Amino acid sequence: MSQVFSEETHRNMLARIPHCTGREITDWLRTVEDGPALFRFEEKVSWLRHEHNLAYGHAKAIIHEYDLRRAARKLL
């Protein structure tokens, strides 16, 4: 079962990702967009972890942010 992070924890995690990975969040979001068409959250996290050697927390934060931004686009 996956952990649920607070909004503050999520934002803090996103802020650390560029330092830890050497890539900006926008680059990671583009990577997810261009990646395989996976449907389940955990499948996307697993793909990022194994394909790009990311820590679970970083991969989860990236996918969560991707899903938030994607949902926001659908509302506009």
Side-chain angles (χ1 to χ4, degrees), residues 16-76:
R16 288 192 307 267
I17 287 174
H19 173 71
C20 295
T21 66
R23 292 178 63 184
E24 295 297 321
I25 294 299
T26 54
D27 292 339
W28 285 114
L29 296 176
R30 220 173 290 115
T31 297
V32 174
E33 182 71 27
D34 295 341
L38 302 170
F39 294 104
R40 292 180 42 237
F41 183 86
E42 288 298 329
E43 288 176 326
K44 294 175 194 175
V45 170
S46 182
W47 172 76
L48 261 186
R49 289 184 69 208
H50 294 99
E51 188 71 22
H52 298 281
N53 199 31
L54 291 177
Y56 176 76
H58 291 152
K60 182 177 176 184
I62 291 166
I63 297 300
H64 182 62
E65 185 66 17
Y66 175 81
D67 287 347
L68 287 174
R69 291 185 186 195
R70 186 169 172 217
R73 284 193 307 253
K74 285 185 178 180
L75 294 175
L76 299 177

Side-chain angles (χ1 to χ4, degrees), residues 2 12 14 47 55:
S2 64
N12 289 338
L14 287 180
W47 172 76

